[in-house]
Amino acid sequence: MNSDIRRLQRAFEEAELHADTDALDTLLADDFRSIGEQGYVLDKAQWLGKFADFAYTSMESSDVEVCHYGHAAIVRCVQRSESVWRGQQMALTTRVSQTWVELPGGWRLAGIQFSSLN
């Protein structure tokens, strides 16, 4: 089961890296929430809409840990990314926590939270 969750986590990262909003729309739960490293909250529509002004140029995760709890799973990792937001280049190292839930249509990412390590 952990390998299935890890596969989904990698699919999410690939979709993020390539701004594949169709794949992201499928992977995210309808009530998805993201909590950024500065405390801001984005819902699913806002998360998908961020790609109008934002693009990753690289992303790499390490120290990945998957904990499975029946119909839920938590993925924790360290993520190093480079991106461009409104023309400004950024490089971040964050600790990430993802909450995956098993719904009737399959596993979906319900929440993600970032904590800055820079």
Side-chain angles (χ1 to χ4, degrees):
M1 181 55 64
N2 286 355
S3 63
D4 292 340
I5 299 301
R6 181 71 172 106
R7 181 184 51 77
L8 287 167
Q9 185 257 342
R10 285 191 302 267
F12 172 76
E13 287 185 352
E14 280 295 310
E16 283 279 287
L17 182 61
H18 300 292
D20 185 345
T21 55
D22 290 336
L24 289 168
D25 187 49
T26 300
L27 289 165
L28 301 180
D30 289 340
D31 60 353
F32 167 85
R33 295 292 183 274
S34 165
I35 301 173
E37 76 278 356
Q38 296 178 0
Y40 55 86
V41 178
L42 298 178
D43 64 19
K44 182 176 180 175
Q46 292 167 321
W47 185 263
L48 295 174
K50 75 179 182 176
F51 292 102
D53 296 321
F54 177 87
Y56 283 106
T57 55
S58 69
M59 181 187 305
E60 179 185 321
S61 292
S62 63
D63 304 320
V64 179
E65 174 187 66
V66 178
C67 298
H68 187 258
Y69 305 96
H71 297 284
I74 305 294
V75 176
R76 297 177 193 97
C77 64
V78 173
Q79 185 179 84
R80 289 168 185 80
S81 65
E82 294 181 0
S83 57
V84 177
W85 181 65
R86 296 182 178 171
Q88 180 181 351
Q89 293 194 358
M90 301 184 301
L92 291 174
T93 301
T94 55
R95 188 166 308 281
V96 179
S97 178
Q98 297 178 347
T99 303
W100 291 85
V101 293
E102 187 177 24
L103 301 173
W107 285 90
R108 300 291 182 264
L109 182 59
I112 189 167
Q113 184 164 355
F114 300 87
S115 298
S116 180
L117 293 175
N118 286 352

